[in-house]
């Protein structure tokens, strides 16, 4: 470690102002603070001092994503071997999934960080850390069969239009990872929805078992199917939905793995438990209301099953809690999360064009969160003014 | 027209023609006429027709209002302006229906909605009411050209990336599609027009710092 420190100190003079590579100063600084926690301390009137800076916070989210990622890698292999009808061992499935998922992760990081570094050089500010998380979120919310150039394009779109035009990390209105997904969803619907994209190899259809269906459970529910079937026609139990060996985007299927990540986020205080809880509450309530007024099978789907299907849990834990785009006030977080849950189920069940409403619900509430904050603060001011008047009397 | 012996294309008059193309562009700087920019720019051909229609309406109404400017009672000037614009729009609409029926169908209500295009009302009110016919004509042509320029740039990218064609001729070779290239469906949706306009504004402002507002 100290050798590394010495090396960094040795090359540092070249990168500071006046040095040979001073134009790459932000790049150097980005790597240096990535390797070593900077010793700069907040000065001025900030009252909370914490050794946990943005890079360490972001890494915590990446760590929380690892269970979902690992499960997604295994599930990719599992679904593939189910589709081609071969027996395969555990490690064989993991290896297959790893080879499919790794390129998506690499493309997402290379493109995203490339743009981040370029912007940092042009604008002469520090490298923004936000992409550490975004780069991991993007691969987890796309189907495994998505072409890599589409991932690259969506990442570029999300970083430039979703973030850099607003001024970089911390200034964006919309969650960048969801911006990338929304871009893919609307630009290339053929590769982002339907029942052919979720399982590797289904699209070109070679060696697939006869009659195999790759429809996601939500896709089946939208067809008003009463019992969910996996690809080869076996029924799927709610426990399997919770466990997650069902078709879907890479990281979204396993509610169990997502909850593991959620515990880490809540324990370390990085993710807001209020938002996570209220998203689930909102979703459950809306599902329950739809149950009461059910006129078709989808509306009659037990409300708790909505919470473990599709991207609901993933969105609630990793997308809605994004501290930049979520509501900032404590009461606002309850409102923000609750409305995400309500809207997600509403779009999911009542709009047949969008089988998954979580993405749109979160993006929509991202736009509204400053408004929510505004009214929460206004209400608080009014309340306190009223109290002041009463005391004056 | 030229009572004060100013040359027809004096520097001042040329500025009327040139400025709307750049530093006072009606769409990217004044942010007017956005709704038609979103609606008609899916393909290049309707955008060109739209640009020409707006140019005809704006140039002629500007001249007419400028000729009438001393006769129009100020209290009913908006009504008079609207009558002039509406007449021109109906003329344009009828001509399109007669000679370019297909495009007229594609543009549908948006030809009629030229009446409500803020650029036209804005120029009549801000320029033609207080200037002579010749500068008014140039101002009308310039602003309509500025509007049309942005429309055509936006439509070019939306048609190229959204449909793979330019003026309905396929320009992206079939071999691309065989390799897995897919047309970008988002480009066909209206939000993308807004984003493309936004990118144009971004580029324009980073080249011309005068346009950036001071905070």
């Amino acid at each position: 470690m100290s050798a590394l420190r010495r090396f960094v100190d040795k090359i540092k003079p070249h990168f500071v102002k006046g040095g040979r590579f001073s134009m790459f100063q932000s790049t150097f600084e980005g790597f240096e603070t990535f390797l070593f926690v900077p010793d700069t301390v907040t000065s001025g009137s900030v009252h909370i001092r914490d050794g946990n800076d943005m890079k360490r916070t972001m890494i915590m989210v990446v760590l929380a994503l690892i269970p979902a990622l690992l499960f997604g890698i295994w599930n990719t292999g599992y679904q593939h071997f189910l589709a081609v009808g071969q027996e395969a061992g555990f490690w064989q499935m993991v290896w297959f999934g790893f080879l499919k998922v790794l390129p998506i992760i690499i493309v997402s990081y290379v493109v995203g960080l490339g743009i981040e570094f370029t912007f940092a050089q042009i604008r002469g500010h520090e490298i923004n850390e936000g992409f550490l998380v975004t780069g991991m979120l993007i691969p987890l919310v796309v189907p495994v069969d998505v072409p890599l150039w589409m991932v690259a394009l969506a990442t570029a779109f999300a970083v430039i239009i979703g973030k850099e035009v607003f001024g970089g990390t911390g200034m964006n209105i919309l969650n960048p990872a969801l911006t990338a997904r929304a871009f893919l969803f609307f630009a290339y619907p053929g590769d982002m929805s339907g029942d052919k994209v979720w399982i590797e190899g289904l699209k070109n259809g070679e060696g697939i078992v006869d009659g195999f269906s790759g429809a996601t459970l939500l896709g089946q529910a939208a067809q008003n199917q009463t019992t969910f079937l996996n690809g080869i026609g076996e029924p799927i139990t709610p426990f399997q939905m919770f466990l997650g060996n069902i078709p879907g985007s890479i990281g979204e299927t396993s509610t169990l793995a997502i909850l593991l990540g959620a515990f880490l986020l809540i324990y370390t205080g990085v993710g807001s438990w209020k938002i996570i809880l209220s998203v689930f509450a909102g979703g459950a309530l809306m599902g329950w209301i739809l149950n009461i007024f059910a006129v078709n099978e989808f509306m009659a789907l037990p409300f708790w099953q909505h919470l473990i299907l599709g991207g609901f849990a993933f969105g609630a834990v990793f997308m809605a809690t994004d501290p930049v785009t979520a509501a900032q006030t404590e009461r606002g977080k309850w409102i923000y999360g609750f409305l995400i849950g309500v809207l997600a189920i509403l779009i999911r069940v009542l709009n047949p064009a969008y089988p998954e409403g979580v993405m749109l619900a979160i993006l929509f509430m991202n736009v509204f969160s400053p408004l929510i904050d505004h009214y929460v603060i206004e209400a608080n001011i009014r309340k306190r003014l009223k109290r002041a008047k009463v005391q004056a009397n | 027209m030229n009572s004060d012996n100013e040359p027809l294309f004096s520097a001042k008059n040329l500025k009327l023609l040139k400025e709307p193309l750049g530093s006072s562009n009606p769409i990217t700087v004044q942010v007017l006429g956005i709704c038609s920019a979103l609606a008609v720019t899916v393909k290049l051909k309707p955008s060109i027709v739209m640009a020409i229609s707006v140019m005809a309406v704006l140039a002629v109404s500007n001249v007419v209002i400028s000729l009438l400017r001393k006769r129009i009672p100020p209290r009913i000037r908006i009504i008079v302006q609207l009558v002039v614009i509406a007449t021109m729009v109906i003329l344009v609409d009828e001509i399109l229906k007669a000679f370019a029926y297909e495009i007229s169908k594609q543009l549908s209500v948006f030809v009629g909605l030229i009446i409500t295009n803020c650029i036209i009302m804005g120029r009549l009110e801000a320029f033609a009411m207080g200037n002579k016919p010749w500068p008014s004509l140039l101002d009308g042509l310039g602003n309509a050209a500025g509007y049309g320029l942005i429309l055509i740039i936006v439509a070019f990218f939306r048609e190229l990336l959204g449909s793979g064609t330019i003026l309905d001729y396929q320009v992206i070779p079939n071999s691309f599609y065989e390799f897995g290239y897919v047309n970008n469906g988002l480009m066909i949706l209206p939000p993308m027009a807004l984003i493309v306009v936004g990118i144009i504004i971004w580029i324009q402002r980073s080249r011309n710092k005068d346009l950036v507002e001071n905070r």
Side-chain angles (χ1 to χ4, degrees), chain B residues 34-104:
Chain B
I34 291 291
C35 31
S36 55
L38 301 188
V40 303
T41 51
V42 174
K43 289 275 172 82
L44 199 48
K45 210 189 270 176
S47 322
I48 294 174
V49 173
M50 185 72 180
I52 295 170
S53 311
V54 168
M55 190 176 276
V57 173
L58 183 50
V60 177
S61 332
N62 245 7
V63 172
V64 170
I65 291 295
S66 176
L67 287 170
L68 293 175
R69 70 183 188 279
K70 286 174 186 156
R71 302 271 175 280
I72 301 173
R75 288 170 66 182
I76 59 162
R77 68 184 192 284
I78 302 278
I79 299 171
V80 176
Q81 288 165 9
L82 274 177
V83 168
V84 173
I85 301 170
T87 315
M88 279 310 299
V89 169
I90 290 167
L91 268 174
V92 166
D93 197 21
E94 294 296 320
I95 291 170
L96 281 182
K97 276 193 183 131
F99 297 104
Y101 186 66
E102 281 306 306
I103 291 179
S104 146

Side-chain angles (χ1 to χ4, degrees), chain A residues 69-81 88-102:
Chain A
L69 172 69
L70 292 180
F71 189 91
I73 287 175
W74 173 78
N75 194 38
T76 302
Y78 172 80
Q79 297 291 341
H80 173 76
F81 286 113
F90 175 77
W91 289 109
Q92 208 179 344
M93 291 176 186
V94 170
W95 181 243
F96 181 87
F98 179 72
L99 288 184
K100 290 295 165 195
V101 176
L102 188 67

Side-chain angles (χ1 to χ4, degrees), chain A residues 119 149-150 160 165 183 186-188, chain B residues 180-186 202:
Chain A
F119 267 93
W149 67 269
M150 287 184 190
I160 297 174
V165 289
F183 177 83
F186 287 107
Y188 306 109
Chain B
Y181 176 81
V182 187
N183 285 329
N184 190 321
L186 192 60
W202 187 14

Side-chain angles (χ1 to χ4, degrees), chain A residues 9-23:
Chain A
D9 284 339
K10 204 179 126 196
I11 62 171
K12 196 169 187 171
H14 294 305
F15 290 96
V16 296
K17 213 168 182 186
R20 243 186 306 168
F21 304 115
S22 58
M23 55 187 290

Side-chain angles (χ1 to χ4, degrees), chain B residues 32-212:
Chain B
L32 295 174
I34 291 291
C35 31
S36 55
L38 301 188
V40 303
T41 51
V42 174
K43 289 275 172 82
L44 199 48
K45 210 189 270 176
S47 322
I48 294 174
V49 173
M50 185 72 180
I52 295 170
S53 311
V54 168
M55 190 176 276
V57 173
L58 183 50
V60 177
S61 332
N62 245 7
V63 172
V64 170
I65 291 295
S66 176
L67 287 170
L68 293 175
R69 70 183 188 279
K70 286 174 186 156
R71 302 271 175 280
I72 301 173
R75 288 170 66 182
I76 59 162
R77 68 184 192 284
I78 302 278
I79 299 171
V80 176
Q81 288 165 9
L82 274 177
V83 168
V84 173
I85 301 170
T87 315
M88 279 310 299
V89 169
I90 290 167
L91 268 174
V92 166
D93 197 21
E94 294 296 320
I95 291 170
L96 281 182
K97 276 193 183 131
F99 297 104
Y101 186 66
E102 281 306 306
I103 291 179
S104 146
K105 271 184 84 172
Q106 274 180 35
L107 287 170
S108 66
V109 312
F110 290 100
V111 177
L113 284 180
I114 296 177
I115 298 172
T116 58
N117 192 322
C118 342
I119 298 173
I120 297 178
M121 279 295 284
R123 290 332 290 175
L124 293 190
E125 183 70 10
F127 197 88
M129 285 299 286
N131 284 283
K132 288 178 182 164
W134 174 245
S136 295
L137 175 69
L138 292 179
D139 180 76
L141 289 175
N143 274 285
Y147 167 83
L149 179 72
I150 301 299
L151 229 61
I152 288 167
I153 295 174
V154 173
F156 174 81
F157 286 109
R158 285 184 76 191
E159 185 172 352
L160 178 67
L161 300 173
S163 317
T165 58
I166 293 292
L167 289 170
D168 291 332
Y169 292 108
Q170 190 179 339
V171 288
I172 290 178
N174 276 325
S175 54
F176 271 46
Y177 290 103
E178 281 157 25
F179 269 115
Y181 176 81
V182 187
N183 285 329
N184 190 321
L186 192 60
M187 278 289 173
I188 298 177
L189 302 174
M192 206 58 194
L194 207 58
I195 291 172
V196 176
V197 170
I199 293 172
I200 296 173
I201 293 177
W202 187 14
I203 294 171
Q204 193 187 12
R205 292 193 175 201
S206 55
R207 291 166 61 100
N208 185 352
K209 295 286 179 207
D210 294 342
L211 296 177
V212 183

Side-chain angles (χ1 to χ4, degrees), chain A residues 143-155:
Chain A
V144 67
D145 237 2
V146 67
L148 292 177
W149 67 269
M150 287 184 190
V151 178
L153 203 62
T155 309

